[in-house]
């Protein structure tokens, strides 16, 4: 975790940690653009102003900073924090900023901070967030640690909060915004550790620009270019209204051998996207 300063987020240092000696060949005009697109100065000011906060307190400060107007439907479906059980919370991933912040704040407060995210390891650069994160780098030199870190998270005494798509939602051929297919890890580990699964649907979309970039990146590039734009998308979504639908826990025993783990993952994904329609009905 970075030491907190007025310049905690430093693109030059991040590139160095990711690329090693090759970082010296990155053109200065590109690093300047990166600093603008990730709002380096604005983010650093928030980190500095909130330097005495960590975990849930920091997440709640983020909610206020982003002026989020949050409506929660089905909050009564959150299991009691005193029932002695551990749960896996899974959600669609439409935004990349506000969705993670809001769900972490809500679940974290409800369970007195006893939860952990599985997140991209780049988010470990945020000192206030790092204490509630399990940073995952599936493609870098730490990729061999991925199974071990997931295992440790599920066998800890913390609830797990996951976005099983891994990436943010994409625009589909019919024009809708939907996650890419969910991976099966949350099913396999929840059954193994006997954790019921709580489905959550988060409303919201990113800009048309984001989906154009994501489409190009997914088709033609070997890396996730769209991810670079997520902080800018977060700032574009400041002050907006979001609705969170929380479904009833799904018993881990549901996920039997009548389907494969991947098929059960698709089943839960479908259940998540059905939540707003069920409430309307």
């Amino acid at each position: 975790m970075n030491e907190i300063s007025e310049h905690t987020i430093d693109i030059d240092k991040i590139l160095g940690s990711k690329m090693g000696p090759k970082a010296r060949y990155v053109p200065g005009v590109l690093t300047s653009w990166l600093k603008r697109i990730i709002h380096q100065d604005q983010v650093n000011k928030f980190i500095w102003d909130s330097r005495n906060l960590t975990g849930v307190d920091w997440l709640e400060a983020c909610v206020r900073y982003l002026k989020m107007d949050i409506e929660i439907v089905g909050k009564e479906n959150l299991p009691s924090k005193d029932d002695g059980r551990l749960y896996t919370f899974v959600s669609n991933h439409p935004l990349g900023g506000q969705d993670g912040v809001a769900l972490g704040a809500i679940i974290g407060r409800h369970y007195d901070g006893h939860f952990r995210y599985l997140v991209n390891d780049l988010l470990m650069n945020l000192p206030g967030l790092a204490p509630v994160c399990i940073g995952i780098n599936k493609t870098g030199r730490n990729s061999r640690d991925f199974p071990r870190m997931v295992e440790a998270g599920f066998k800890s005494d913390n609830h797990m909060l996951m976005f099983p798509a891994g990436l943010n939602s994409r625009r589909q051929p019919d024009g809708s915004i939907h996650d890419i297919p969910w991976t099966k890890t949350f099913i396999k580990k929840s059954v193994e550790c006997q954790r019921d699964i709580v489905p959550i649907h988060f409303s919201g979309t990113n800009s048309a620009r984001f989906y154009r970039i994501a489409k190009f990146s997914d088709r033609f590039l070997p890396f996730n270019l769209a991810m670079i734009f997520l902080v800018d998308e977060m700032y574009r979504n400041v002050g907006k209204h979001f609705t969170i639908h929380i479904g009833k826990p799904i018993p881990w025993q549901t996920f039997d051998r009548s389907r494969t783990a991947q098929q059960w993952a698709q089943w839960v994904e479908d259940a998540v996207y059905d939540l707003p329609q069920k409430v309307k009905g």
Side-chain angles (χ1 to χ4, degrees), residues 20 72 109 134 161 182 259:
I72 304 175
R109 181 57 63 197
I134 298 173
L161 171 56
W182 285 15
R259 307 184 192 204

Side-chain angles (χ1 to χ4, degrees), residues 221-232:
L221 299 179
F223 61 93
N224 183 11
L225 176 64
M227 183 176 66
I228 297 172
F229 292 82
L230 288 178
V231 178
D232 192 56

Side-chain angles (χ1 to χ4, degrees), residues 6 44 75 101 132 138 176 197 247:
E6 293 184 83
N44 276 328
K75 191 172 184 179
V101 164
V132 292
K138 289 195 261 189
S176 64
I197 292 174

Side-chain angles (χ1 to χ4, degrees), residues 26-68:
V26 178
V29 65
L30 178 57
T31 57
S32 295
W33 175 80
L34 284 171
K35 291 173 185 178
R36 290 196 302 274
I37 203 67
I38 70 155
H39 297 253
Q40 180 171 287
D41 291 343
Q42 289 170 274
V43 171
N44 276 328
K45 183 179 186 307
F46 172 74
I47 291 173
W48 181 248
D49 290 344
S50 60
R51 60 190 178 277
N52 296 320
L53 304 175
T54 59
V56 178
D57 292 334
W58 189 84
L59 287 165
E60 290 177 335
C62 285
V63 170
R64 295 189 294 271
Y65 174 69
L66 297 172
K67 300 177 182 177
M68 297 181 68

Side-chain angles (χ1 to χ4, degrees), residues 106 120 243 278:
I106 293 164
N120 186 296
T243 303
K278 284 186 176 181

